[in-house]
Amino acid sequence: MADINRYERQISSQNGEDGILEAIFVKVGTTDKYFVEFGSGDTHECNTLYLSRWKRWKGLWMDATYLDKRGRVKQERITAENIQALFKKYQVPKVFDLLSIDIDGNDYWVWKAITDYHPRVVVIEYNSTVAPTESKTIPYDSNYMWDGNTNYFGASLLALKQLGEQKGYTL
């Protein structure tokens, strides 16, 4: 999949992730069709709605700020300290197909803290304003909230690639 962008298709994702994820799972197959996505907002524009609605995947949506009266999205503030407990609370399988992380800040640190759970595919937001040759992250702060205006958030692609390799993933 040298040119992954050719698979972009936007149905309910923000930047064509629907098509890219579909292409990845055509190539690697699925096991349980289970996902976890945090930072999903109201799920009207997220990485897993297409899979849930059209491909019959099951999973867990969590978001710190969105209050879902129907109970689809669990209102949880995600930190490196609580992520494993939240997975246990919501009975996430130890091995599952897809993890999507988009919390605008501590993404790297939360993924690093996930040690007892092993998603087959990980989608994670990175800070594209940092050169791809630099490995940078913001320092961990469990109370960090991105202001929505600056480029001070998250981690560089290289930092996430290196963490992924430590966890057994390839970019």
Side-chain angles (χ1 to χ4, degrees):
M1 298 183 89
D3 181 19
I4 200 163
N5 294 82
R6 69 185 172 133
Y7 297 102
E8 286 181 7
R9 187 167 41 121
Q10 183 177 359
I11 297 167
S12 60
S13 60
Q14 187 177 16
N15 297 301
E17 294 91 339
D18 296 320
I20 291 171
L21 285 170
E22 189 168 43
I24 288 170
F25 283 108
V26 163
K27 185 163 181 82
V28 303
T30 57
T31 57
D32 60 359
K33 294 186 177 182
Y34 190 90
F35 67 83
V36 174
E37 180 168 3
F38 42 94
S40 61
D42 63 8
T43 72
H44 286 104
E45 186 178 82
C46 67
N47 291 333
T48 55
L49 181 61
Y50 170 74
L51 296 172
S52 176
R53 182 177 288 161
W54 301 105
K55 299 295 182 175
R56 302 194 191 289
W57 283 47
K58 303 287 183 218
L60 170 64
W61 286 302
M62 294 185 287
D63 194 271
T65 58
Y66 181 69
L67 179 57
D68 181 3
K69 294 178 183 162
R70 294 182 294 170
R72 289 186 339 161
V73 180
K74 307 303 181 196
Q75 189 174 25
E76 299 285 0
R77 179 153 170 70
I78 308 296
T79 67
E81 293 83 10
N82 74 2
I83 189 60
Q84 297 234 125
L86 289 170
F87 277 27
K88 184 176 182 178
K89 174 182 177 180
Y90 293 112
Q91 301 176 344
V92 172
K94 292 288 186 178
V95 177
F96 58 98
D97 278 329
L98 177 63
L99 172 62
S100 179
I101 304 172
D102 183 356
I103 53 175
D104 299 329
N106 287 319
D107 307 62
Y108 174 95
W109 302 106
V110 169
W111 186 28
K112 185 175 183 176
I114 299 171
T115 57
D116 296 337
Y117 297 85
H118 307 284
R120 296 178 60 237
V121 174
V122 177
V123 176
I124 187 166
E125 179 180 56
Y126 72 97
N127 187 331
S128 64
T129 67
V130 178
T133 55
E134 295 182 53
S135 181
K136 289 187 175 181
T137 66
I138 62 169
Y140 181 69
D141 174 359
S142 63
N143 295 312
Y144 178 82
M145 295 289 292
W146 181 49
D147 66 10
N149 295 312
T150 67
N151 290 334
Y152 184 74
F153 67 91
S156 68
L157 183 60
L158 182 56
L160 291 165
K161 178 182 184 273
Q162 291 168 338
L163 177 58
E165 287 171 351
Q166 291 170 18
K167 290 176 160 278
Y169 294 92
T170 59
L171 181 63

